[in-house]
């Protein structure tokens, strides 16, 4: 285990970010485990450290800027951009469509890294890559705190992550926890969760 991964495992533990139960992920899949990165990043000191570690992994791609999908990518993307010393911008959903709004611009050929908290299906990240390409920028890599995609993200650029978690996910109609009679909880939807 590398020092970075050991440090992240310790931070996940101390922050209580790794939760067990029966969850409905934003991807629509169900899972017995969920990483609440908001808890990991609740401490600005931890968030800064996570950003520094991701920046070290992304620096070899020589990024000109960081682009993150809101909401999940905002804090980690900003901390990573701060550590890299490059601008930070974000995309956001307008209805179903992922868009670059608020007057943000990307230059033609600009080397963009897309930074997310957790990669599960990778949908928001793929859409953010597409937004950057449509603006003439050049996505060069994806960075994430946690890769739980099982390698099925389908990105056209390399993915670097601080750690890989092999947590099971199920389509709702094939979820053993549902079959056992439990209802999936949407993380963050209950006070104190
Ligand atoms: Zn379920």
């Amino acid at each position: 285990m590398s020092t970075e991964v050991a440090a992240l495992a310790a931070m996940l533990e101390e922050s209580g970010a790794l939760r067990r139960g029966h969850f409905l992920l934003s991807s629509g899949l169900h899972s017995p485990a969920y990483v609440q990165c908001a808890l990991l990043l609740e401490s600005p000191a931890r968030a800064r450290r996570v950003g520094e570690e991701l920046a070290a992994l992304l620096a070899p791609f020589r990024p000109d800027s960081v682009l993150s999908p809101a909401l999940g990518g905002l804090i980690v993307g900003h901390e990573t951009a701060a550590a890299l010393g490059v601008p930070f911008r974000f995309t956001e959903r307008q209805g179903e469509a992922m868009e670059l709004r608020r007057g943000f611009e990307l230059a033609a050929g600009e080397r963009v890294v897309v930074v997310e908290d957790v990669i599960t299906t990778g949908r928001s990240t793929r859409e953010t890559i597409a937004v950057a390409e449509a603006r003439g920028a050049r996505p060069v890599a994806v960075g994430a705190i946690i890769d739980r995609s099982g390698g099925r993200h389908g990105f056209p650029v390399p993915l670097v992550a601080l750690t890989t978690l092999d947590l099971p996910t199920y389509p709702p109609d094939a979820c053993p926890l549902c079959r056992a009679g439990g209802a999936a909880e949407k993380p963050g939807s209950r006070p104190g969760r």
Side-chain angles (χ1 to χ4, degrees):
M1 194 183 269
S2 74
T3 339
E4 288 78 15
V5 171
L8 184 70
M11 287 192 282
L12 285 172
E13 187 62 36
E14 75 187 17
S15 64
L18 181 58
R19 313 187 80 87
R20 306 260 172 201
H22 180 194
F23 299 106
L24 168 61
L25 306 181
S26 58
S27 57
L29 300 175
H30 289 199
S31 179
Y34 176 75
V35 180
Q36 179 52 274
C37 272
L39 291 175
L40 175 69
L41 302 172
E42 172 183 44
S43 150
R46 273 201 303 264
R48 177 177 297 178
R49 183 152 176 212
V50 165
E52 287 169 351
E53 291 183 358
L54 260 185
L57 293 179
L58 289 167
F61 296 94
R62 294 180 291 115
D64 297 315
S65 66
V66 172
L67 184 65
S68 292
L71 191 64
L74 289 183
I75 295 171
V76 62
H78 189 270
E79 291 293 340
T80 303
L84 286 165
V86 300
F88 171 73
R89 306 183 182 98
F90 60 88
T91 60
E92 57 199 300
R93 267 187 213 290
Q94 186 75 341
E96 271 300 291
M98 193 66 92
E99 291 182 359
L100 189 67
R101 306 178 67 213
R102 302 173 194 267
F104 287 144
E105 302 282 356
L106 296 171
E110 178 170 336
R111 298 174 66 87
V112 171
V113 289
V114 175
V115 172
E116 251 288 25
D117 56 357
V118 182
I119 304 286
T120 306
T121 65
R123 177 183 169 220
S124 298
T125 304
R126 281 193 304 278
E127 292 174 346
T128 299
I129 290 171
V131 166
E133 287 174 336
R135 299 286 185 121
R138 184 178 163 200
V140 291
V142 172
I145 303 172
I146 292 161
D147 173 13
R148 58 174 300 187
S149 71
R152 294 180 298 273
H153 51 73
F155 300 150
V157 295
L159 165 64
V160 297
L162 294 185
T163 194
T164 300
L165 285 183
D166 191 15
L167 301 172
T169 52
Y170 311 104
D173 57 5
C175 175
L177 300 162
C178 283
R179 222 175 288 140
E185 175 193 342
K186 199 171 179 192
S189 62
R190 272 205 273 160
R193 293 294 298 238

